Amino acid sequence: EIWPAPITQEQWRTVGELALRLPALDLGIYSRADFILDEEGSFWCLEINTLPGMTHQLVPQEAAAVGMDYPALCETIVQSSLKARKEGA
């Protein structure tokens, strides 16, 4: 694990766009997608974890990288889950 990944802003944009396509898989409120970048510059999705760990794992690290602390992350997951349940999702 290398955190943060030593990639360019353009590569961040590309992998972010790939990750945003994952809701088409109906993964629910949160999941973690692991990508690898090959020598030709193509991203490959290695796996999608539909219930990633929340203690000392990548999801809290990723949230922190965008300015969300652990309590806010947990609250967001709970509130989003309650909203989805009310909407029948």
Side-chain angles (χ1 to χ4, degrees), residues 16-82:
E17 288 173 358
L18 291 170
L20 289 174
R21 293 182 192 166
L22 297 176
L25 299 175
D26 195 24
L27 298 174
I29 303 305
Y30 79 107
S31 62
R32 187 192 76 231
D34 297 337
F35 290 86
I36 190 168
L37 179 63
D38 69 20
E39 292 178 2
E40 286 78 39
S42 296
F43 285 99
W44 297 87
C45 184
L46 297 176
E47 69 172 329
I48 300 169
N49 188 329
T50 58
L51 190 58
M54 290 293 290
T55 57
H56 308 292
Q57 295 290 327
L58 298 176
V59 172
Q61 288 177 359
E62 293 163 354
V66 296
M68 183 181 289
D69 65 13
Y70 188 77
L73 172 62
C74 293
E75 184 67 23
T76 298
I77 291 169
V78 169
Q79 293 301 323
S80 297
S81 298
L82 290 171

Side-chain angles (χ1 to χ4, degrees), residues 1-13 15-16 33-37 43 58 61-62 65:
E1 172 187 339
I2 301 171
W3 185 259
I7 59 177
T8 67
Q9 287 298 317
E10 177 66 20
Q11 290 169 320
W12 274 111
R13 186 188 60 74
V15 76
D34 297 337
F35 290 86
I36 190 168
L37 179 63
F43 285 99
L58 298 176
Q61 288 177 359
E62 293 163 354

